[in-house]
Amino acid sequence: MIINNVSLEATVVAKSGFPAKGLPEAALCGRSNVGKSSLINAMVGRKALARTSQSPGKTRTINFYNVEDALFLVDLPGYGYAKAAKSEKQKWGGMIEGYLKAREELRVIALLLDIRHQPTENDRTMHEFIKYYGYQMIAVLTKADKIARGKVAARAADIRGALALPGTVPIIPFSAETKQGRGELWETIMEFTGLTTL
C-alpha cells in the first residue's frame, strides 16, 4: 500500500484538543521504547514523520496522524517508563484513560508488544483496560526481525497464551526494518475501521 498524503494533524494533552473531523481512528499503545514511532513511519512510508528515540518516554502527548484524510493513526504515550516521575506517569495514564473513555471515533486499538519478551504487568493492565472498554484489539509483535524466523510462530503463541487472547484477536508479527507485517496490519486496521480504501 502506497500512502501519498499523511501529516501530524494534532498533538494534544486534553480532550479539548481532539480533532473534530469525525474520521475513524486506530490507536497505538505499548510500553515505552516498544517501537510505536518506528511502526508509524513504516506504516506510512516515511522516515521521520514520527520522531524516534533511543531514550524511552519521549511521547508525552497524544499524536493524531491524518492518513489520506480517511483515518487517524493515534499514537498514545508509552507506559511503564521506570525513570519517569510518579506525577508524570499519572499524567500519561490520565491522558490515555481520558482518550479511551471519551473517543467515539476510536474503532480499534493496536497493543504493541516486543516479540522477544513476555508481556509485562503494564502490558497486562493495558490489555485489561482495552477489554473493559470493549474495544476491538490487534496484538502487534514488534521487532520481529530480532529473532530467528523459525521462532516467530512459537513466540506469537506464547504471547497469546500469556495474555489469554481469544482467537478473535489478530496477532501480527511486525518489523519496522523489513516491513514484515505492514500489509497485514493495514488490512486488519481497515477491516476494523470499516474502510475499503485509503
Side-chain angles (χ1 to χ4, degrees):
M1 181 182 294
I2 298 173
I3 305 295
N4 294 309
N5 299 297
V6 60
S7 62
L8 175 57
E9 179 144 328
T11 297
V12 306
V13 295
K15 182 180 176 181
S16 59
F18 292 168
K21 286 191 170 181
L23 300 179
E25 294 173 5
L28 309 172
C29 66
R31 66 172 180 78
S32 297
N33 226 24
V34 75
K36 285 190 284 91
S37 297
S38 296
L39 180 140
I40 289 167
N41 289 332
M43 289 291 284
V44 300
R46 302 290 190 275
K47 289 186 177 178
L49 178 67
R51 289 179 297 172
T52 61
S53 173
Q54 294 300 312
S55 303
K58 287 295 181 186
T59 303
R60 302 186 181 197
T61 54
I62 299 175
N63 298 328
F64 290 78
Y65 295 92
N66 185 326
V67 182
E68 300 290 359
D69 214 28
L71 166 79
F72 280 120
L73 287 180
V74 183
D75 185 13
L76 299 176
Y79 53 76
Y81 180 41
K83 292 184 180 178
K86 187 175 180 181
S87 59
E88 195 78 1
K89 290 179 186 176
Q90 288 173 339
K91 190 168 99 175
W92 297 346
M95 261 195 283
I96 293 171
E97 186 170 8
Y99 172 75
L100 295 182
K101 276 183 174 179
R103 201 59 177 160
E104 291 182 5
E105 292 86 346
L106 179 57
R107 299 288 180 269
V108 61
I109 299 174
L111 177 59
L112 276 59
L113 304 153
D114 190 324
I115 196 169
R116 299 169 298 177
H117 307 298
Q118 287 296 93
T120 66
E121 196 57 43
N122 286 316
D123 292 327
R124 294 175 192 277
T125 299
M126 191 69 219
H127 173 231
E128 291 300 319
F129 219 52
I130 295 168
K131 283 200 304 182
Y132 177 79
Y133 285 107
Y135 289 111
Q136 301 277 11
M137 176 182 147
I138 308 166
V140 181
L141 308 187
T142 62
K143 310 188 184 185
D145 57 296
K146 305 294 186 187
I147 66 170
R149 186 170 297 180
K151 294 182 178 179
V152 169
R155 287 297 306 135
D158 284 348
I159 290 170
R160 184 181 290 281
L163 289 177
L165 298 177
T168 52
V169 174
I171 291 190
I172 301 175
F174 189 94
S175 167
E177 294 292 324
T178 68
K179 308 302 186 288
Q180 175 187 350
R182 179 181 184 270
E184 185 181 356
L185 183 52
W186 266 128
E187 287 174 11
T188 308
I189 287 173
M190 288 174 69
E191 177 186 339
F192 282 135
T193 54
L195 296 172
T196 55
T197 185
L198 282 177

